[in-house]
Amino acid sequence: MFRLIVALSVLSLALGLEDRIVNGKTASISEYPYQVSIQKYNSHFCGGSILKDDLILTAAHCLVDVIQKDEVDTITVRAGSSHWDEGGVVKNAEWISIHPNFRPQPMVYDVGLVKTIGSFVFSNLIKPIALTRVLPPLYEPVVVTGWGRLSESESNLPKTLQAVELEFLTPEKCRSPHFGYASAIMTSMICADGPYKDSCQGDSGGPLVEVDTNVQIGVVSWGLGCAKRGFPGIYCDLTDPNVVSYLRSKVPNLYNYEQ
Ligand code: ARG
């Protein structure tokens, strides 16, 4: 058995299939200027995306502990850098919020917001992202970015932003027997899949964006391991009516913030 595992690992390494943002490429913030790093005591713990000059969209599960422990003043947001640990502009959090119906089990309505003290100044490296109003068709190319693990087993985070292109899966497709999740795919969840490609721990809260239109459709939420065959990454659905009504209640002019 051990020899079989060794042989399979060597084979997958030789084929370049080792799971590593898993199997993405190093990216520049100028390509994804809406991406931010959310940090606690200056350590990256989740991704986010810029909705307005002082509002960051992220995952509720990133923020729930911070709210419970009343640690909002330990949270900062770094924008405008390809590196989570240096450069760009850092702002402190003023308040954070999570969807009122968020539950960690199952991971429904995994969406939240960070309001910064003061506004980011938009530039080539710092820009807001538009939210979609409709989900794309099945298999539409989507891209996810972040500073999360390069593989399920590698706990060190990359310093440089990673990006990986995936295919969008509708909730119906993601629930189908072709994949391993079945009824775990609940309301407010969408999926994205790629061969040995995925988001991973540390990418949570980051944006899933439709490539052709450059609009955000999801927020990195959860998955069984990372880049496991038959287990796509799961994202919070930004078109879910309850997600939209939450965001509308917190974000003025949700769909018309662009310049
Ligand atoms: N929950 C993870 C985080 O907090 C994200 C996991 C995404 N997993 C996946 N297989 N796509 O960073």
Side-chain angles (χ1 to χ4, degrees), residues 43-59:
S43 264
H44 170 89
F45 71 97
C46 268
S49 58
I50 301 173
L51 278 188
K52 291 175 68 81
D53 59 9
D54 59 355
L55 265 185
I56 306 300
L57 179 61
T58 186

Side-chain angles (χ1 to χ4, degrees), residues 46 61 198-204 220-227 233-235:
C46 268
H61 82 259
D198 199 359
S199 45
C200 200
Q201 269 58 42
D203 290 319
S204 278
V220 180
S221 180
W222 67 282
L224 183 86
C226 302
I234 303 172
Y235 299 78

Side-chain angles (χ1 to χ4, degrees), residues 175-195:
R175 224 177 267 130
S176 75
H178 193 73
F179 301 102
Y181 291 124
S183 57
I185 305 304
M186 309 200 44
T187 177
S188 81
M189 298 178 194
I190 54 174
C191 303
D193 197 25

Side-chain angles (χ1 to χ4, degrees), residues 212-253:
D212 284 357
T213 54
N214 201 43
V215 294
Q216 185 173 351
I217 66 168
V219 176
V220 180
S221 180
W222 67 282
L224 183 86
C226 302
K228 271 200 207 313
R229 230 189 138 150
F231 293 92
I234 303 172
Y235 299 78
C236 180
D237 176 1
L238 292 174
T239 69
D240 179 282
N242 288 314
V243 170
V244 172
S245 61
Y246 161 71
L247 291 175
R248 275 192 192 281
S249 74
K250 298 281 173 189
V251 186
N253 306 318

Side-chain angles (χ1 to χ4, degrees), residues 57-107:
L57 179 61
T58 186
H61 82 259
C62 290
L63 301 176
V64 69
D65 266 18
V66 180
I67 292 178
Q68 261 158 25
K69 297 185 186 150
D70 196 12
E71 293 178 332
V72 178
D73 54 355
T74 67
I75 301 300
T76 52
V77 175
R78 187 186 297 271
S81 178
S82 307
H83 307 281
W84 69 258
D85 62 339
E86 59 176 1
V89 181
V90 178
K91 300 233 175 256
N92 291 288
E94 178 176 332
W95 53 255
I96 61 184
S97 151
I98 62 175
H99 194 290
N101 301 121
F102 166 70
R103 297 290 176 274
Q105 262 169 4
M107 196 66 88

